[in-house]
């Protein structure tokens, strides 16, 4: 067996062991002391606001090209910035939130 095959086999064995270890624990195991730093209400508001901004931006961007061609570039750029900012905020809250955790 070549050196590359040995490393690949070892890597595959380590990955399989890690997956087995992760799936053998229950959903609450290891999360009992975890408490999300962002309250559920704040997460919900950020989620729905981000969803609304993304949908509105998409609608406005599409309509601007059809009905307001003179300002379409500015509208599309503004919608892109708004969606990007909300995506960053939503992503940041999402990183803090762990659905399997209790608390």
């Amino acid at each position: 067996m070549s050196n590359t095959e040995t490393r690949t086999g070892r890597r595959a064995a380590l990955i399989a062991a890690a997956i087995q270890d992760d799936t053998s624990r229950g959903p609450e195991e290891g999360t009992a002391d975890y408490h999300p730093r962002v309250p559920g209400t704040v997460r919900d508001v950020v989620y729905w606001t981000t969803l609304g901004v993304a949908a509105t931006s998409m609608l406005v961007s599409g309509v601007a090209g059809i009905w307001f061609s003179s300002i379409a570039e500015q509208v599309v750029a503004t919608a892109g910035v708004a969606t990007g900012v909300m995506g960053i905020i939503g992503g940041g809250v999402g990183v803090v939130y762990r659905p399997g955790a209790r608390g």
Side-chain angles (χ1 to χ4, degrees):
M1 202 179 336
S2 71
N3 193 20
T4 303
E5 291 173 342
T6 304
R7 281 186 295 188
T8 304
R10 231 182 286 146
R11 187 176 306 135
L14 287 171
I15 291 170
I19 291 171
Q20 179 60 37
D21 180 51
D22 192 44
T23 56
S24 66
R25 290 184 285 166
E28 288 86 26
E29 190 176 325
T31 59
D33 60 346
Y34 175 77
H35 300 287
R37 301 217 190 278
V38 179
T41 304
V42 173
R43 286 191 308 268
D44 290 346
V45 168
V46 169
Y47 173 79
W48 289 109
T49 303
T50 300
L51 182 64
V53 167
T56 303
S57 293
M58 190 62 134
L59 177 66
V60 169
S61 296
V63 170
I66 299 168
W67 295 103
F68 308 108
S69 58
S70 61
I71 61 166
E73 288 183 34
Q74 293 88 348
V75 171
V76 169
T78 302
V81 169
T83 303
V85 167
M86 289 308 298
I88 291 169
I89 292 170
V93 170
V95 169
V96 175
Y97 175 60
R98 286 183 23 202
R102 294 182 178 249

